[in-house]
């Protein structure tokens, strides 16, 4: 999958409000985005343990000073908004395994309101805001 990471990072930096967090669904988009904008605070979700994609060892994450969050609730914390970055193929992979939706997106939809969705190459960027928070 391809994404214009510099443009993505510029967009997120320009549109993220104080109190909002940027969360990538996994390391595949997080690492290049972090590389191109190391000063832009971004987070990412850990790969499912013992899955075929669980390939970034905790020790490596520590060396990179870029450690994954265990789940979307932990990554979101008490944020007023979430910019969630994901490749659509990951959504399709979960659906093909019998899930009705990607688990992180399902959690976000249950706790936040979707404000916008934007494409950057093969990436989707969702902007969620906490229900009741100014949009």
């Amino acid at each position: 999958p391809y994404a214009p990471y510099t443009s993505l990072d510029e967009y997120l930096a320009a549109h993220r409000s104080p109190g909002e967090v940027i969360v990538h669904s996994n390391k595949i988009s997080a690492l290049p985005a972090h590389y191109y904008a190391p000063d832009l605070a971004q987070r990412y979700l850990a790969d499912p343990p013992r899955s075929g994609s669980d390939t970034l060892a905790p020790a490596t994450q520590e060396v990179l000073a870029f450690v994954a969050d265990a789940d979307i609730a932990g990554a979101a914390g008490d944020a007023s908004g979430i910019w969630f970055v994901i490749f659509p193929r990951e959504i399709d992979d979960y659906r093909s395994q019998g899930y009705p939706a990607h688990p992180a997106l399902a959690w976000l939809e249950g706790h936040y309101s979707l404000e916008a969705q934007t494409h950057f190459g093969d990436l989707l960027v969702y902007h969620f805001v906490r229900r009741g928070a100014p949009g």
Side-chain angles (χ1 to χ4, degrees):
Y2 169 75
Y5 290 101
T6 303
S7 297
L8 169 70
D9 288 335
E10 289 169 355
Y11 177 85
L12 292 170
H15 290 87
R16 184 186 62 154
S17 296
E20 294 186 331
V21 296
I22 300 165
V23 181
H24 293 259
S25 66
N26 64 45
K27 66 187 176 295
I28 296 171
S29 62
L31 289 171
H34 179 67
Y35 174 81
Y36 287 107
D39 295 332
L40 180 62
Q42 301 184 65
R43 308 176 76 111
Y44 66 104
L45 302 180
D47 296 321
R50 297 174 301 284
S51 70
S53 63
D54 188 11
T55 57
L56 191 58
T60 304
Q61 294 176 46
E62 292 289 334
V63 167
L64 295 172
F66 196 43
V67 177
D69 287 285
D71 57 35
I72 188 62
D78 63 355
S80 61
I82 309 288
W83 292 87
F84 187 67
V85 182
I86 189 169
F87 284 106
R89 181 175 174 184
E90 187 178 349
I91 298 168
D92 295 340
D93 288 346
Y94 272 92
R95 286 189 182 135
S96 72
Q97 294 174 24
Y99 291 86
H102 187 282
L105 279 172
W107 187 91
L108 287 165
E109 290 168 353
H111 293 83
Y112 290 80
S113 296
L114 179 62
E115 291 291 306
Q117 181 178 323
T118 308
H119 284 268
F120 283 87
D122 293 336
L123 276 174
L124 276 173
V125 178
Y126 294 88
H127 182 216
F128 289 93
V129 295
R130 187 172 295 282
R131 292 191 175 106

